[in-house]
Amino acid sequence: MFTLLSKNENAVIVLHEIYGFNNHIKQTCKELHNSGLDVYCPNFLNREEPFKYDQHSQAYDYFMKFCGFDTSMVFDLLTGIRENYKKIIIIGFSVGGTLAWLCSENTQCDGVISFYGSRIRDYTDIMPNCPTLVIQAKYEEAYDPYFLQHKLSQYSSVSFHIFNSRHGFCDPYNKAYNQPESAKALTLSHDFIARIIN
């Protein structure tokens, strides 16, 4: 597990994509730490080398075979660090975004941010116990984000936003990167965090 710890009052748990702990996740962790948060990033893949973007199919197969949407590692981490922090927020990207959504029902976390968690559509019966920000891309190939938005509108704790972009648009190393839309989404997420910890 990658950590950036400075005895801050609040912490974030960052959940990576199928590629593993790559440059995008490292950069995200550093930015969150620089904003005054302790950072924990579990390595679900148990691999030192992340998959490359052109290994998408291989990375997805590996994740589904050896990891899957099992929240036990995150729940164990939450339990282990809970008493050290005033607030703990979980942030996830893609499969990590779906895992973050699944963690929203855990009463030990204080907020959840899910970036384009596409498999949330399989878990719309999850009832968040904390403020939850769901960030989606408008152009998803496998599902309709507007239908997902409708499904999740039943939960008052969920704030759902669709951006005019494609899956992975907040990752500057990804070909889907959309700088203007990413800036909007990141501002939204930073404001969300600020409301929880202040």
Side-chain angles (χ1 to χ4, degrees), residues 32-163:
L32 289 165
H33 186 245
N34 290 339
S35 73
L37 299 161
D38 277 3
V39 177
Y40 297 82
C41 183
N43 185 346
F44 296 111
L45 304 188
N46 290 316
R47 284 170 49 109
E48 288 196 21
E49 286 297 316
F51 288 98
K52 297 177 181 177
Y53 293 112
D54 61 5
Q55 295 177 299
H56 177 85
S57 296
Q58 183 182 348
Y60 181 80
D61 290 344
Y62 184 96
F63 180 86
M64 294 307 293
K65 182 177 181 180
F66 295 106
C67 312
F69 296 108
D70 179 3
T71 56
S72 58
M73 183 186 293
V74 186
F75 287 178
D76 288 347
L77 175 57
L78 269 171
T79 301
I81 67 174
R82 180 64 269 185
E83 65 180 14
N84 300 329
Y85 298 101
K86 288 184 176 179
K87 300 292 175 72
I88 302 174
I89 297 166
I90 298 175
I91 301 174
F93 296 85
S94 196
V95 292
T98 298
L99 282 166
W101 168 258
L102 293 174
C103 291
S104 68
E105 66 178 354
N106 189 305
T107 56
Q108 295 192 82
C109 67
D110 301 288
V112 162
I113 303 174
S114 168
F115 284 88
Y116 30 87
S118 60
R119 286 291 167 182
I120 291 175
R121 66 187 189 273
D122 297 330
Y123 303 101
T124 56
D125 57 335
I126 292 291
M127 186 176 295
N129 279 306
C130 62
T132 301
L133 173 61
V134 177
I135 291 171
Q136 291 274 312
K138 181 177 181 179
Y139 304 104
E140 287 283 0
E141 296 180 6
Y143 65 101
D144 180 0
Y146 289 98
F147 182 71
L148 181 60
Q149 182 178 38
H150 173 71
K151 292 281 286 185
L152 300 188
S153 64
Q154 63 184 304
Y155 303 123
S156 60
S157 59
V158 174
S159 176
F160 197 108
H161 298 266
I162 299 174
F163 289 84

